[in-house]
Amino acid sequence: MPATSLDQIVALAKRRGFIFPSSEIYGGLQGVYDYGPLGVELKNNIIADWWRTNVYERDDMEGLDAAILMNRLVWKYSGHEETFNDPLVDCRTCKMRWRADHIHGVCPNCGSRDLTEPRPFNMMFRTQIGPVADSGSFAYLRPETAQGIFVNFANVLTTTARKLPFGIAQVGKAFRNEINPRNFLFRVREFEQMEIEYFVMPGTDEEWHQRWLADRLAWWEQIGIPRSRITIYDVPTTELAHYSKRTFDLMYEYPNIGVQEIEGIANRTDYDLGSHSKDQEQLNLTARVNHNEDSIARLTYYDQASGRHIVPYVIEPSAGVGRCMLAVMCEGYAEERTKALPVEKLAAASEALQAFLKSVGRSEKLSGEARDAILARGEALSQALAERLPEVEQLLAMPGADQIELGKKLRGQVQPLIDEHYRTVLRLKPRLAPIKVAVFPLKRNHEQIVATAKAVRRQLQAGGQMRTVYDDTGAIGKLYRRQDEIGTPFCITVDFDTIGQGKDPALAGTVTVRDRDTMAQERVPIAELEVYLREKVMS
Ligand code: GAP
């Protein structure tokens, strides 16, 4: 079962070094996050998979890496200066600011309905170029990577001699001054996009739009999000972005956040190439473009068949890396029992839970709202305690729960049970996993076992493809659990048999390989390890 609460992912991400709040030692920066040692590996693996699928495995794609800073005129003619706005309202009672379309007329902070009229707020960040701050020296941080592709259309076309249809892929940072960044990586002010602008003959755009929809759905499935967990939202005309003829939003059901956009696939028509072109009146454009007096180029394509210069239509699949990573982690997350709980221990935990809930019910320290929330969650938990015992931690982390003295007793009762009988596992596709293989010595102070384990690590890492780590910081069971929760698909243990000092001489030169998902263990000769693992870790 995927994560049931975003808190599970936030806690894991922090605990194990996937994600840190930006500038944390100075109180953080709202809506900005840093990717830690494991986060950067997972993010890079997602991007590499996207690039491989969309660039290397097709024969109609080129790559690009355009600069973040661009001439300000790009944003004038793209329409972003004029239209890249969110509706902003102020609460007159508590002075908080909100996006009008997110709050249904009620301030989420204080409940007041005394709000200002919505007014447009442009989400582009400004920065200054050069030493003199005047009206001509500012630039924007790009709010989408797409425009870097459009303004390079002619450069790519002439240097690659591509014929339509073809696409340009780009991965890079985008910045949006979101009014209310929230929900962890979901809505942030600095993020990465993986975007494709696919140029087609006008008239074939609708067919290509459908083909890209199918291709993108296949990719989400390939990285571990089942087709059944994605819904397609055919965006109604009234909600379409200013450049779009039609857009399919792919929606994923995040815990707590609900069904939300993970990728947009838009038909941008000839709007962008047309808007960035000179001599627009001679180009037979269909989109209502921005009149351009500054461009020095016609962004057209010479169609040999008709002998005419045309402006291609564009299909744009655009996905956020952070939203993707969050979905992949939610989907792969599981807390599961690894062995049966002794009946008497379960009964004692159940008793401690009931005593805690009784105390919550009687407490005068808690607000009514906090009490009801804890009781509701606690009751639900007690219905299936054996399956859901690890959720006691979340119960005890709920607002107000720390005020209940019996909470400590409950924690003391269940924690050892959780440690011994449950595990958290991140069932990532192996090729996305931050670490592919972890190598453990059965005894960390045995010279030969340690030397052999380190040699195995070096041998596997030498190929360059399998991120392999050595770990001797605990007992084997604990080390397995640490790797399970970060998604490492294989753990290798070097023991006395490996070095020829065990009970079975036939096992000399072999190690135990343990599979993350099945927890099954197999003896594999060291000499065959690389071949044994190579395909599996790239699956
Ligand atoms: N070039 C088209 C474009 O930018 P978009 O729907 O605004 O379209 C595309 O953004 C994707 O970028 C979204 O589907 C989402 O995955 C990601 N994204 C957009 N705004 C984001 C934000 N504030 N935080 C995180 N990801 C965001």
Side-chain angles (χ1 to χ4, degrees):
M1 194 170 72
T4 50
S5 153
L6 199 59
D7 296 343
Q8 293 168 317
I9 304 301
V10 175
L12 172 63
K14 171 110 213 247
R15 188 166 74 240
R16 299 307 312 276
F18 282 87
I19 299 291
F20 305 124
S22 160
S23 348
E24 198 176 7
I25 61 167
Y26 292 108
L29 182 64
Q30 214 197 348
V32 187
Y33 289 94
D34 297 337
Y35 286 73
L38 296 176
V40 66
E41 297 290 342
L42 177 53
K43 176 165 81 78
N44 286 346
N45 292 342
I46 288 171
I47 292 171
D49 199 84
W50 182 91
W51 194 269
R52 201 190 61 238
T53 305
N54 291 297
V55 183
Y56 299 161
E57 289 177 2
R58 301 178 61 110
D59 52 17
D60 54 358
M61 294 289 295
E62 300 288 348
L64 183 76
D65 185 12
I68 289 172
L69 294 175
M70 303 173 87
N71 190 310
R72 193 195 134 190
L73 293 173
V74 170
W75 306 107
K76 174 178 173 185
Y77 292 112
S78 70
H80 284 78
E81 272 193 342
E82 184 91 2
T83 58
F84 198 59
N85 301 317
D86 270 346
L88 172 73
V89 291
D90 290 304
C91 170
R92 291 199 180 93
T93 310
C94 72
K95 312 293 177 219
M96 293 285 281
R97 297 198 140 159
W98 304 103
R99 242 179 87 166
D101 55 335
H102 281 174
I103 63 167
H104 310 295
V106 183
C107 173
N109 186 46
C110 70
S112 167
R113 290 180 179 274
D114 189 7
L115 308 173
T116 59
E117 280 302 305
R119 59 192 185 283
F121 168 75
N122 193 288
M123 289 202 291
M124 287 194 289
F125 281 102
R126 281 171 167 225
T127 188
Q128 184 193 315
I129 305 259
V132 182
D134 60 30
S135 61
S137 70
F138 80 85
Y140 298 108
L141 300 185
R142 64 182 180 197
E144 61 170 11
T145 64
Q147 296 302 324
I149 299 181
F150 296 128
V151 299
N152 275 296
F153 172 75
N155 288 334
V156 175
L157 192 60
T158 45
T159 51
T160 63
R162 282 282 181 181
K163 300 272 172 272
L164 289 187
F166 76 96
I168 304 176
Q170 174 165 232
V171 180
K173 290 261 176 157
F175 302 83
R176 295 184 188 178
N177 199 358
E178 295 282 353
I179 297 169
N180 287 123
R182 56 185 170 169
N183 292 328
F184 196 41
L185 299 181
F186 181 78
R187 190 176 303 285
V188 287
R189 289 182 166 137
E190 175 177 340
F191 56 98
E192 264 169 288
Q193 289 185 313
M194 304 181 281
E195 296 204 298
I196 294 163
E197 306 303 328
Y198 194 78
F199 302 97
V200 303
M201 289 297 274
T204 64
D205 51 306
E206 289 177 11
E207 183 198 330
W208 276 107
H209 201 187
Q210 295 293 341
R211 284 167 79 159
W212 272 106
L213 175 63
D215 286 357
R216 296 301 304 139
L217 286 167
W219 183 75
W220 285 104
E221 186 136 42
Q222 174 185 309
I223 64 159
I225 313 287
R227 176 65 190 85
S228 58
R229 305 267 298 148
I230 295 212
T231 47
I232 301 165
Y233 181 58
D234 193 348
V235 180
T237 323
T238 49
E239 291 175 22
L240 287 174
H242 61 278
Y243 48 72
S244 173
K245 169 177 162 186
R246 189 176 185 189
T247 296
F248 299 121
D249 280 346
L250 305 189
M251 315 289 281
Y252 175 76
E253 186 172 359
Y254 293 94
N256 303 101
I257 313 176
V259 177
Q260 295 287 348
E261 176 188 334
I262 199 167
E263 169 162 4
I265 307 172
N267 181 345
R268 291 181 78 132
T269 69
D270 53 5
Y271 173 84
D272 298 276
L273 294 181
S275 288
H276 287 304
S277 285
K278 66 174 184 175
D279 305 331
Q280 291 165 323
E281 59 294 344
Q282 297 170 36
L283 302 181
N284 288 322
L285 296 170
T286 57
R288 191 132 56 84
V289 296
N290 301 305
H291 178 62
N292 195 322
E293 290 174 353
D294 295 296
S295 170
I296 56 166
R298 288 180 181 198
L299 301 182
T300 56
Y301 169 86
Y302 180 67
D303 176 34
Q304 272 171 334
S306 65
R308 285 189 309 121
H309 290 273
I310 57 134
V311 178
Y313 264 41
V314 177
I315 305 300
E316 179 199 60
S318 169
V321 178
R323 286 190 191 179
C324 173
M325 177 158 147
L326 191 56
V328 159
M329 290 181 80
C330 289
E331 197 61 38
Y333 186 93
E335 286 172 359
E336 59 187 30
R337 197 152 34 114
T338 50
K339 51 184 167 177
L341 269 176
V343 179
E344 68 286 2
K345 289 194 175 162
L346 180 62
S350 177
E351 232 167 74
L353 175 60
Q354 291 311 328
F356 168 77
L357 293 177
K358 223 181 235 170
S359 173
V360 168
R362 281 198 305 258
S363 171
E364 283 168 11
K365 290 187 214 156
L366 297 177
S367 70
E369 208 177 310
R371 186 184 311 123
D372 291 349
I374 298 173
L375 287 177
R377 186 147 193 187
E379 293 303 341
L381 253 181
S382 65
Q383 303 299 316
L385 195 59
E387 284 76 46
R388 297 176 60 180
L389 198 67
E391 288 179 43
V392 170
E393 279 174 28
Q394 291 159 40
L395 182 75
L396 294 172
M398 289 178 77
D402 57 343
Q403 312 228 21
I404 306 297
E405 205 44 41
L406 283 179
K408 286 194 196 106
K409 194 164 171 218
L410 175 59
R411 180 173 282 120
Q413 193 91 46
V414 300
Q415 199 57 56
L417 288 182
I418 296 173
D419 289 347
E420 204 187 327
H421 299 272
Y422 295 81
R423 66 169 183 160
T424 298
V425 58
L426 207 50
R427 292 186 203 278
L428 301 173
K429 288 280 176 190
R431 67 183 182 288
L432 297 189
I435 293 167
K436 311 295 185 212
V437 186
V439 187
F440 313 140
L442 185 69
K443 260 187 167 304
R444 69 175 147 187
N445 50 12
H446 190 285
E447 216 173 293
Q448 203 183 342
I449 289 183
V450 168
T452 309
K454 288 187 173 170
V456 168
R457 187 204 90 82
R458 271 196 307 276
Q459 175 196 328
L460 293 178
Q461 188 63 74
Q465 288 195 332
M466 264 185 263
R467 176 103 166 88
T468 308
V469 297
Y470 169 87
D471 192 359
D472 64 5
T473 55
I476 297 294
K478 189 166 166 218
L479 296 180
Y480 281 154
R481 279 203 301 280
R482 281 174 59 81
Q483 296 299 328
D484 284 345
E485 74 168 3
I486 62 169
T488 306
F490 295 100
C491 290
I492 291 176
T493 304
V494 173
D495 55 20
F496 286 100
D497 281 323
T498 314
I499 58 169
Q501 294 178 20
K503 289 193 186 111
D504 186 351
L507 295 180
T510 68
V511 290
T512 304
V513 180
R514 179 224 189 226
D515 181 293
R516 173 196 70 195
D517 297 339
T518 61
M519 293 189 281
Q521 303 192 5
E522 214 179 320
R523 249 5 246 200
V524 180
I526 292 176
E528 290 168 22
L529 267 180
E530 209 176 323
V531 175
Y532 174 88
L533 291 168
R534 201 185 302 133
E535 263 187 32
K536 292 190 169 76
V537 299
M538 293 323 284
S539 66

